[in-house]
Amino acid sequence: MNTTPADLMEKLRGPVLPGATIGIFGGGQLGRMMGIAARSMGYKVHVLDPDPACPAGYIADKVIEASWNDRWAAANLARESSTVTLEIEQVSVTSLDEASRWAPMRPGAAMLAVIQDRVEQKDWLQKHGFPVGPYRSVRSPEQLAEAVKALNGPVFIKSARGGYDGRGQAKLGFGGAVVDDAALRQAWEDVGATDCVAERALDLAKEISVMVARAPNGEVKVYPPAENFHENQILSWSVIPASISDELMKKAQKVASEIADTFGLEGLLAVEMFLTTDGQLLVNELAPRPHNSYHGSERACTTGQFEQAIRTACNLPLGDVSLVQPTAIANLLGDVWLDDEGKEKQPAFDKALAVPGVRLTLYEKLKPRKGRKMGHLSAVGATADEARERVLAAKAAL
């Protein structure tokens, strides 16, 4: 299929209607659930991913096996698509720019260039007046030592690029641990001996996130905040809505919406935030895609995040995000499939599903590993507390 500049201008003008093809960079669980939403709306789905057996491959019309920096494969994805979106921010800016020559790329490369580098992201947030905690940019072992001294307390160190769910991270000074030269060298190695950001640990009351959807025409929808709980830097459970005051809810939504507007977002943006014990609301990280903490939006809100992602990519009117019912999710890691000796076992899904209001979502990942996200449980309830209690009871029954 040969796409001309005139064809591209036609793509950019109006909505991409059902029957067209949507290209997705990334075939993980987020790409899979985006693809399922797209197919339910009548679209065809093409996916680019380094793994030909990626979870989205089971529901896609076509999988292009290629690396994130393969600009030729990116061009092929876009030429065969009426619009292109993504489920992972590690795609190279070169590939995103190449794709944008042939189809609308939503979100775009300029925004991704900022977000995929944690140093650039923090600097951007601070430059534009958004609230962030104390941090320092680090590009050498010597700068790491200076940063730890300047931050004067326990410190999280995160690699600038890549790394999530606790990977590419280190901690210094927690529990009164001595931060000597050996500890600094080990932390530097743990984050990959590369550019990183050092953040002072905060006294947290809650962790929340806010999902914003912004269409190419500037229409914005802001979801109710989600309340999140992490174990070992991996999301364990999340509840919509967060148990915070109306005032804080509106403040968090306003911050998230202003970040989206400042970027000129076309797509979804999850804004992770900290609420400190002294009442500060601080931005932690940004994710320009569907987000683990909003898996529950499929049941909690009139329009779930995956359908909304398709609407933004296709320049369609955005869906209502009003709260329908409180919903909680609990991640299912590969550990659930492994016994104490590391041998595979069958989780007792029948017992989990016996808990009222519980549903099971699996990602068709073939090999369980400790810490690998394999699926999630969701539960509804009359209150957020009831939804959380139900989903945690279901997880415990596994």
Side-chain angles (χ1 to χ4, degrees):
M1 176 180 176
N2 295 319
T3 305
T4 67
D7 294 329
L8 177 55
M9 289 307 298
E10 185 61 32
K11 287 182 179 182
L12 290 168
R13 284 194 185 99
V16 177
L17 299 176
T21 298
I22 298 173
I24 303 175
F25 279 106
Q29 64 263 23
L30 301 179
R32 174 188 174 86
M33 289 183 275
M34 288 170 68
I36 290 172
R39 292 187 72 92
S40 72
M41 295 172 71
Y43 292 96
K44 294 186 268 304
V45 176
H46 289 188
V47 169
L48 185 151
D49 195 276
D51 180 6
C54 60
Y58 297 102
I59 58 88
D61 297 279
K62 181 177 181 178
V63 177
I64 298 174
E65 181 184 356
S67 70
W68 305 130
N69 59 2
D70 188 332
R71 58 191 294 262
W72 305 111
N76 288 336
L77 176 72
R79 277 196 292 262
E80 296 173 353
S81 303
S82 295
T83 184
V84 182
T85 187
L86 53 82
E87 63 113 46
I88 188 167
E89 52 266 51
Q90 272 71 52
V91 184
S92 73
V93 171
T94 300
S95 290
L96 297 174
D97 277 335
E98 187 64 32
S100 68
R101 294 181 58 206
W102 306 102
M105 182 69 234
R106 297 166 177 154
M111 178 178 172
L112 266 292
V114 172
I115 290 179
Q116 64 188 200
D117 186 306
R118 287 186 177 89
V119 174
E120 294 291 331
Q121 184 184 138
K122 289 283 187 184
D123 289 349
W124 184 93
L125 287 165
Q126 188 174 70
K127 174 184 174 182
H128 288 88
F130 296 108
V132 295
Y135 77 96
R136 291 292 187 277
S137 302
V138 174
R139 303 189 186 278
S140 69
E142 293 75 22
Q143 286 187 355
L144 178 59
E146 294 169 2
V148 171
K149 183 178 180 180
L151 292 170
N152 190 30
V155 173
F156 288 100
I157 302 101
K158 302 176 183 177
S159 60
R161 290 181 170 267
Y164 56 95
D165 289 343
R167 294 186 286 274
Q169 297 187 22
K171 297 190 290 186
L172 286 170
F174 282 79
V178 176
V179 183
D180 54 17
D181 290 344
L184 287 165
R185 282 196 302 272
Q186 186 60 56
W188 177 249
E189 293 298 325
D190 287 345
V191 297
T194 187
D195 293 355
C196 53
V197 60
E199 302 172 357
R200 189 168 71 200
L202 304 168
D203 292 326
L204 301 183
K206 290 183 186 296
E207 295 183 54
I208 66 171
S209 52
V210 177
M211 177 66 74
V212 183
R214 188 174 185 276
N217 64 9
E219 182 186 9
V220 175
K221 296 287 185 181
V222 187
Y223 282 82
E227 182 174 340
N228 309 317
F229 179 77
H230 293 79
E231 292 179 341
N232 300 318
Q233 286 78 56
I234 301 176
L235 184 70
S236 178
W237 56 260
S238 185
V239 182
I240 300 172
S243 56
I244 57 177
S245 68
D246 288 344
E247 180 184 1
L248 269 175
M249 185 176 297
K250 292 175 182 177
K251 183 177 180 180
Q253 290 176 313
K254 183 174 185 289
V255 168
S257 181
E258 288 176 350
I259 291 173
D261 281 340
T262 304
F263 268 125
L265 169 71
E266 294 183 0
L268 299 186
L269 179 68
V271 182
E272 300 176 21
M273 302 184 194
F274 293 139
L275 176 60
T276 65
T277 53
D278 61 358
Q280 295 183 81
L281 189 65
L282 305 173
V283 178
N284 176 28
E285 288 192 356
L286 309 176
R289 51 168 172 77
H291 196 260
N292 195 176
S293 64
Y294 276 85
H295 288 351
S297 65
E298 302 300 296
R299 306 182 68 187
C301 302
T302 307
T303 307
Q305 66 168 344
F306 298 108
E307 178 183 333
Q308 200 77 287
I310 299 307
R311 287 179 179 238
T312 60
C314 293
N315 201 11
L316 296 172
L318 298 185
D320 181 15
V321 297
S322 299
L323 183 71
V324 175
Q325 56 190 347
T327 303
I329 66 105
N331 275 329
L332 299 179
L333 306 181
D335 311 55
V336 173
W337 280 258
L338 303 173
D339 63 20
D340 293 338
E341 297 178 353
K343 296 179 181 178
E344 288 191 31
K345 65 176 183 177
Q346 176 62 52
F349 292 126
D350 55 333
K351 294 180 180 178
L353 291 170
V355 178
V358 170
R359 290 183 188 172
L360 171 67
T361 302
L362 296 179
Y363 307 148
E364 283 198 84
K365 294 182 179 179
L366 303 181
K367 187 67 176 176
R369 296 192 302 269
K370 283 186 176 296
R372 188 184 196 195
K373 292 175 181 174
M374 301 289 290
H376 66 267
L377 295 167
S378 63
V380 297
T383 65
D385 285 342
E386 182 179 54
R388 183 182 65 250
E389 289 167 4
R390 284 178 170 181
V391 83
L392 294 179
K395 185 175 180 179
L398 294 173

